[in-house]
Amino acid sequence: MKGCLGDANAYTTSDDMELRHLRYFVAVADTLNFTKAAETLHLAQPSLTRQIQNLEEEIGVRLLNRSKKHVALTEEGRAFLIDARRMLVLVAESIQAVQRLSRGETGQLNIAYSSNFSFDLLPQTLGAFRQSHPHVALNLFDMTPAEQFRALEAHKIDLGFVGLRVSAANRHLQWACIARHKTVVVLPTKHPLARKSRIRLDDLKSMFFVGMSEKNHPGFREWLSQTCQPAGFTPRILQDADLEPALMTFVAEGLGVTLAREQIRNLPHSGVAFRPLTPPVHSDYWIAWNRDNETTALRQYIEVIKSLTGAFSNGFEKAATSV
Amino acid sequence: MKGCLGDANAYTTSDDMELRHLRYFVAVADTLNFTKAAETLHLAQPSLTRQIQNLEEEIGVRLLNRSKKHVALTEEGRAFLIDARRMLVLVAESIQAVQRLSRGETGQLNIAYSSNFSFDLLPQTLGAFRQSHPHVALNLFDMTPAEQFRALEAHKIDLGFVGLRVSAANRHLQWACIARHKTVVVLPTKHPLARKSRIRLDDLKSMFFVGMSEKNHPGFREWLSQTCQPAGFTPRILQDADLEPALMTFVAEGLGVTLAREQIRNLPHSGVAFRPLTPPVHSDYWIAWNRDNETTALRQYIEVIKSLTGAFSNGFEKAATSV
DNA sequence: AACCCTTCATAGCTTAGGGCTATTGCAGAC
DNA sequence: GTCTGCAATAGCCCTAAGCTATGAAGGGTT
């Protein structure tokens, strides 16, 4: 695969043949007339003659039989012509392919999301992007946020719908806030506070909390603390849940209350009540990707996401996208 | 396939990309280090830097991310690297293929012969050639001499075991005499002359002859006349045969006598006798090929033929091969 | 035969650009 | 901070690709 440095044979395959020679040779072979070929190449005939001579000398094989008056391909010339055409086609196609790639028209996007927190933005953005970029392959992966961060670091995915922004994360990460969700209090139905239709943060000051494990949901504790900070307390977390269903169970069993995005209501639940906060508190939803992995397709997908989110919650993404 | 002259897109696929750019790019991609890549290319680093810049500018796509200190491939770079390697491999392989072709190691040989005149030289030469040139494809075609001449003219075959040399033929033909056969008189068994064990040409002066049709065996009449000329007569041909079996039948039926190579005895015959001439008369056996079609493989096959024929009948081929 | 036309090869000049050296500028490492 | 490693830039040189002019050799025409 590499340079074949030590190989004596590789040396015979002359290193100063160039595509120019192939282009010229094909032109001559097409017309079997140096003068006409030179014209179509916008070239003087002696230059062409010389280059073809160089080519033949280079590979050590006579490709053309020139009798004054008639030019004909030799057997070798016929064989080489086929290959020369193939090479030129391959060159042109490769360039076009890479250009399409750089325009975001082709490529792959590996996207991770958390199924536990299904929200309708993902399919919506995928649909819109697929329409404008039909030749980009979209590969979806269901991962916990922690898995997403690892996959981002290992370059296994290009974009993660991670939810919470993590301050301590890999500094190569790029972030964008794509939604702002209402935060709700999750508490047992038989909890005294459940009788109130709206709950103040302050009401939660002395409560025990159930949290999401750092192992699966990095940033949850930090987010919870920051959310409660305006009320002047730090939530005391008694128990961690690995996944959202466990969180619901723990709350139902009275191990504590918690805060979550209002989408958590979509999860199946029993014995659990949801109450809005008053005044309302919002939680930003973030996506993350690798700064050094900014494919055009990725950038354009993020643009699609932004334009869609901007449509239903305008005004905040300017601040959000700034790192 | 051709130049795609009118196509606007073809213009974007820049015409001054060269294999050099690919070689350099692959080197850089291999090491991800301009300085080291330049070394392995026996090149100064600034030159390499410039060429890679040119390449990127040329195709309009950033292939490498250079942060001072680290060089990395972009998505586009990864894609292009694969193609670049493919192209360079194709170039090297094409050159080697055409070189093998020019050394006669590969290729095709289309060879025609006349089955009616099977003589052991053809299989013998094929066997020897196959051993020294195992990768040359040998295609055999059974044709009458006339068909061979037409096929030679149409470049459908590369070499014909035509037998008789034809003076009026295509002037692009090249000839070689590869054997000298004894000429025998073919006559009915009940013919008075059949009682003699040896016949003088002179004995045939007043006979009627059976010949081979010009349509299938061009040159036969000429050969017959020239053979009889030393005896001072021109054979009178009453009847032409299209193929050798018919010739035998005609002779057996008493339509006339004829002359032929002694190999004609190998054909099934009844009512026909063969008698040597005294003094002995010889007939040269010729092969023919196109002067403008002299593949190396063909040339080497002819060499094999000559060396084999030279082994059992030395001395005559010098004169014979001269046109 | 004389002539012209076509076409490839050669000679010699010009110049673009590929390569070189020297240097800068930046980012990590110590 | 200083040192080191490495890519980019600046500016010069010289190879070689391109040009014009000319030669030479067939083929066709008169």
Side-chain angles (χ1 to χ4, degrees):
Chain A
M1 281 304 122
K2 288 265 313 262
C4 298
L5 294 166
D7 192 343
N9 276 348
Y11 256 90
T12 56
T13 51
S14 41
D15 264 6
D16 37 327
M17 193 176 87
E18 293 294 351
L19 290 177
R20 174 171 24 90
H21 295 116
L22 300 182
R23 288 189 268 263
Y24 292 1
F25 173 64
V26 169
V28 172
D30 278 343
T31 60
L32 292 180
N33 179 321
F34 279 75
T35 310
K36 293 209 186 91
E39 269 172 41
T40 65
L41 290 168
H42 306 290
L43 206 66
Q45 166 263 316
S47 314
L48 181 57
T49 294
R50 170 57 65 100
Q51 288 304 313
I52 299 290
Q53 286 172 344
N54 288 351
L55 172 61
E56 289 181 326
E57 200 174 326
E58 198 66 50
I59 63 181
V61 176
R62 186 154 210 79
L63 299 172
L64 295 165
N65 276 326
R66 309 82 154 148
S67 62
K68 308 258 169 196
K69 205 66 195 173
H70 283 297
V71 175
L73 286 165
T74 62
E75 182 75 14
E76 290 87 352
R78 274 190 291 276
F80 194 66
L81 177 61
I82 295 170
D83 284 345
R85 282 223 176 83
R86 285 232 316 268
M87 291 186 256
L88 293 178
V89 168
L90 183 54
V91 167
E93 283 180 349
S94 299
I95 292 177
Q96 290 196 352
V98 91
Q99 285 175 340
R100 274 195 294 269
L101 201 58
S102 93
R103 286 193 299 262
E105 292 170 18
T106 58
Q108 285 217 343
L109 280 187
N110 298 318
I111 300 163
Y113 65 98
S114 290
S115 67
N116 283 326
F117 239 116
S118 70
F119 73 116
D120 53 357
L121 207 51
L122 177 60
Q124 208 174 327
T125 57
L126 290 177
F129 185 74
R130 247 192 274 267
Q131 276 206 327
S132 57
H133 296 72
H135 295 111
V136 175
L138 298 173
N139 306 319
L140 294 176
F141 301 91
D142 188 348
M143 298 180 179
T144 65
E147 286 172 333
Q148 293 187 36
F149 286 119
R150 281 194 295 274
L152 281 168
E153 189 140 22
H155 292 268
K156 289 187 176 162
I157 60 171
D158 303 305
L159 181 75
F161 282 78
V162 294
L164 294 176
R165 175 161 188 171
V166 175
S167 56
N170 187 325
R171 63 185 192 71
H172 293 112
L173 283 189
Q174 201 84 328
W175 299 86
C177 170
I178 62 164
R180 172 160 292 177
H181 297 131
K182 280 211 187 76
T183 304
V184 296
V185 181
V186 186
L187 70 177
T189 39
K190 49 200 173 201
H191 194 283
L193 271 180
R195 264 175 287 165
K196 299 176 68 172
S197 68
R198 298 176 165 276
I199 297 174
R200 287 179 300 118
L201 261 184
D202 203 50
D203 299 333
L204 306 174
K205 188 171 294 182
S206 55
M207 307 264 152
F208 289 112
F209 277 76
V210 177
M212 298 298 291
S213 68
E214 275 310 287
K215 183 177 127 245
N216 277 2
H217 286 258
F220 179 85
R221 284 160 175 269
E222 190 184 347
W223 167 78
L224 190 62
S225 300
Q226 283 182 358
T227 304
C228 294
Q229 199 169 12
F233 71 98
T234 306
R236 283 173 297 173
I237 297 176
L238 264 195
Q239 177 70 40
D240 272 340
D242 274 347
L243 295 170
E244 282 83 356
L247 183 80
M248 305 288 263
T249 309
F250 292 166
V251 170
E253 287 175 2
L255 294 184
V257 302
T258 195
L259 298 180
R261 302 173 193 282
E262 61 178 344
Q263 277 84 3
I264 200 163
R265 297 180 148 174
N266 297 333
L267 291 179
H269 56 277
S270 63
V272 170
F274 309 93
R275 293 292 179 269
L277 282 164
T278 175
V281 171
H282 294 279
S283 167
D284 286 342
Y285 195 98
W286 296 83
I287 56 175
W289 65 94
N290 283 309
R291 174 196 305 263
D292 56 351
N293 197 31
E294 273 202 4
T295 306
T296 311
L298 177 60
R299 220 170 301 138
Q300 294 180 349
Y301 177 50
I302 293 171
E303 279 311 309
V304 167
I305 298 176
K306 285 184 183 170
S307 73
L308 284 178
T309 59
F312 73 81
S313 63
N314 50 21
F316 67 85
E317 64 282 316
K318 272 198 300 299
T321 48
S322 70
V323 183
Chain B
M1 283 304 122
K2 287 267 313 262
C4 298
L5 294 166
D7 191 345
N9 275 348
Y11 257 91
T12 56
T13 51
S14 39
D15 263 5
D16 38 326
M17 192 175 86
E18 292 294 350
L19 290 177
R20 172 169 28 87
H21 295 115
L22 300 182
R23 286 189 269 260
Y24 291 2
F25 173 64
V26 169
V28 173
D30 278 344
T31 61
L32 293 179
N33 179 320
F34 278 75
T35 310
K36 293 206 188 95
E39 270 172 41
T40 65
L41 290 169
H42 306 290
L43 205 67
Q45 167 262 316
S47 313
L48 181 56
T49 294
R50 169 56 65 98
Q51 288 304 312
I52 299 291
Q53 286 172 344
N54 287 351
L55 172 62
E56 288 181 326
E57 200 175 325
E58 198 66 50
I59 64 182
V61 176
R62 186 155 210 78
L63 299 172
L64 294 165
N65 275 328
R66 310 85 152 147
S67 62
K68 308 259 168 195
K69 208 68 195 173
H70 283 295
V71 174
L73 286 165
T74 62
E75 181 75 13
E76 291 86 353
R78 275 190 291 278
F80 194 65
L81 177 60
I82 295 170
D83 284 346
R85 282 223 176 83
R86 284 231 317 269
M87 291 187 255
L88 292 178
V89 167
L90 182 55
V91 167
E93 283 179 350
S94 300
I95 292 177
Q96 291 196 352
V98 91
Q99 286 174 341
R100 275 194 293 272
L101 201 58
S102 93
R103 285 193 299 263
E105 293 170 18
T106 58
Q108 286 216 345
L109 279 186
N110 297 319
I111 301 163
Y113 65 99
S114 289
S115 68
N116 282 327
F117 240 116
S118 70
F119 74 114
D120 52 359
L121 207 51
L122 176 61
Q124 206 174 329
T125 58
L126 289 177
F129 186 73
R130 246 193 273 268
Q131 275 204 328
S132 57
H133 297 73
H135 295 112
V136 174
L138 298 173
N139 307 319
L140 295 175
F141 301 91
D142 188 346
M143 299 180 178
T144 64
E147 284 172 334
Q148 294 187 36
F149 286 119
R150 281 194 293 273
L152 281 168
E153 189 140 23
H155 293 267
K156 290 187 176 163
I157 60 171
D158 303 304
L159 181 73
F161 282 77
V162 293
L164 293 177
R165 177 160 186 171
V166 176
S167 57
N170 186 326
R171 64 185 190 73
H172 293 111
L173 282 190
Q174 200 84 327
W175 298 86
C177 170
I178 61 165
R180 172 159 294 177
H181 297 129
K182 281 211 186 76
T183 304
V184 295
V185 181
V186 185
L187 70 177
T189 40
K190 50 197 173 211
H191 194 283
L193 270 179
R195 264 175 283 166
K196 299 177 70 174
S197 67
R198 301 178 163 273
I199 298 174
R200 288 180 297 117
L201 264 182
D202 203 52
D203 298 335
L204 305 173
K205 189 172 292 183
S206 56
M207 308 263 148
F208 288 111
F209 277 75
V210 175
M212 298 298 292
S213 68
E214 271 317 278
K215 181 177 131 242
N216 278 2
H217 287 257
F220 178 86
R221 283 162 176 268
E222 189 183 350
W223 167 79
L224 190 63
S225 297
Q226 283 181 356
T227 305
C228 295
Q229 197 167 12
F233 72 96
T234 306
R236 284 173 294 171
I237 297 177
L238 264 195
Q239 176 71 38
D240 272 339
D242 275 345
L243 296 170
E244 282 82 356
L247 182 80
M248 306 288 264
T249 308
F250 292 167
V251 170
E253 287 176 1
L255 295 183
V257 301
T258 194
L259 297 181
R261 301 176 195 282
E262 61 177 345
Q263 277 82 5
I264 200 160
R265 296 181 149 175
N266 296 333
L267 291 179
H269 57 274
S270 63
V272 169
F274 308 94
R275 293 290 179 271
L277 282 164
T278 176
V281 171
H282 294 281
S283 165
D284 287 341
Y285 195 96
W286 296 83
I287 57 175
W289 64 95
N290 283 309
R291 174 195 307 263
D292 56 350
N293 197 31
E294 273 204 3
T295 306
T296 311
L298 177 60
R299 221 169 301 138
Q300 294 179 349
Y301 177 49
I302 294 171
E303 279 312 308
V304 166
I305 298 175
K306 285 184 183 169
S307 72
L308 284 177
T309 58
F312 73 81
S313 63
N314 51 19
F316 68 86
E317 66 279 315
K318 270 197 302 296
T321 48
S322 70
V323 183

